[in-house]
Amino acid sequence: MTNGGLCVNGYHYGLEISGSGEGLLLLHGFGGDKTMWADLRARLDSEYRVIAADILGHGTSDKPSQVPAYHMERVSRDILSLLDELRIPECHMLGYSMGGRLALHLAACYPGRFRSLILESASPGLADDCERAQRRRQDEALAGRIETMGIAWFADYWEKLPLWKSQVKLSEDILSAQRKQRLGNSATGLANSLRGMGSGAQPNLWPRLGQVMMPTLLLVGEGDSKFVAINQLMARQIPRTDLRVIPDAGHNIHLEQPLVFQEQVNSFLQGR
């Protein structure tokens, strides 16, 4: 396994790389980092060269103060540069939540670089201009509070969101580890990530779903009703899509149902 990172386009990106074979890029969600994929990497790195990246503003990657550095297109170019530096011309890609939105952007804009796409609890963004503007205002307000109140406040606020209501069944050890990981981030990085890559800031990808031609797996938790509806609409528009709704799971399937999640990912990669 390789720990460390690379500098591309003027920014350092934290990476964990293990295994050999076809490349598999893993992109975490907002407030997460590359360590959240440890169990999945252990399951897959006997057959794949697994690259877990810290998205800009998270983990050990740089946290620039300039918001344009976090824009979806800019971060997408950074990810492609990372793959170039690693001499990976084409790979599989898995993204969760915010990382899923980034993965979908990469797949739609640079389809020749990716062999398959797995999206966990992801979306193409907001189609309505007014709704997108409202979400930008909400994200800016939250970004300001993160900068003012700090990471401990963010962790408290974030874990109480209704999005995570299904996690009440998880053990205290799992929840404590998740909180510790969130506390390892920085206020500047998370605030600017919201401003540059939040759902209000990202491009509307709904019109581009028909351009995603690689085999695609959509994973969504049965208890995550908002994202179930979004992914049902996505599945009708992405040509080569398999939608799987996972029972007894909410937004974070890989944490709530890790063995089921790993099996779904592995079976898709083996059967594509």
Side-chain angles (χ1 to χ4, degrees), residues 13 47 71 76 125 168 200 211 236 249 255:
Y13 276 77
E47 298 183 62
H71 288 171
S76 293
V168 296
Q211 302 169 27
R236 295 174 195 155
L255 187 70

Side-chain angles (χ1 to χ4, degrees), residues 48-70:
Y48 299 92
R49 186 184 183 194
V50 185
I51 305 101
D54 281 333
I55 298 173
L56 196 73
H58 293 75
T60 59
S61 289
D62 280 348
K63 291 91 178 172
S65 58
Q66 302 84 7
V67 173
Y70 297 82

Side-chain angles (χ1 to χ4, degrees), residues 31 39 55 67 80 98 104 109 113-116 118 137-138 143 217 255:
D39 291 343
I55 298 173
V67 173
L80 295 179
M98 179 192 74
L104 184 56
C109 297
R113 297 299 301 265
F114 302 101
R115 295 179 177 178
S116 69
I118 303 171
R137 290 192 292 270
Q138 293 171 347
L217 174 63
L255 187 70

Side-chain angles (χ1 to χ4, degrees), residues 1-2 17-22 41 44-50:
M1 181 175 71
T2 300
I17 304 171
S18 58
S20 60
E22 295 180 348
R41 287 196 299 107
L44 296 177
D45 64 8
S46 61
E47 298 183 62
Y48 299 92
R49 186 184 183 194
V50 185

